[in-house]
Amino acid sequence: MGIISWIILGLIAGALAKWLMPGDDGGGWIATILLGVVGAFVGGWVGSFIGLGPATGVNIGSLITATFGALIVLFVYNKFIR
């Protein structure tokens, strides 16, 4: 998956995660993209660990995996770092 695909997937997954988990998270578009890209890595790792598979491109399965990972990252950020 190319860098442009990771950015697009990260933007969508990060925005979905921030929309699904309400709260005052701050950050702009760059933070949302980074949240989504890190979430794609975390979601891919968790998905491959439990047998669902990693994020492999901009498709529905990868979007769900990346959003799940972004929710995990956002939860950890809100609970432990903030």
Side-chain angles (χ1 to χ4, degrees), residues 12-75:
I12 295 169
L16 281 173
K18 282 190 173 186
W19 179 67
L20 290 172
M21 187 176 287
D24 185 29
D25 300 318
W29 289 103
I30 301 296
T32 301
I33 290 172
L34 290 176
L35 169 71
V37 171
V38 172
F41 282 115
V42 170
W45 181 76
V46 170
S48 64
F49 182 69
I50 61 175
L52 296 176
T56 57
V58 181
N59 55 43
I60 295 296
S62 294
L63 184 61
I64 291 170
T65 301
T67 303
F68 178 70
L71 284 170
I72 292 171
V73 171
L74 191 58
F75 175 78

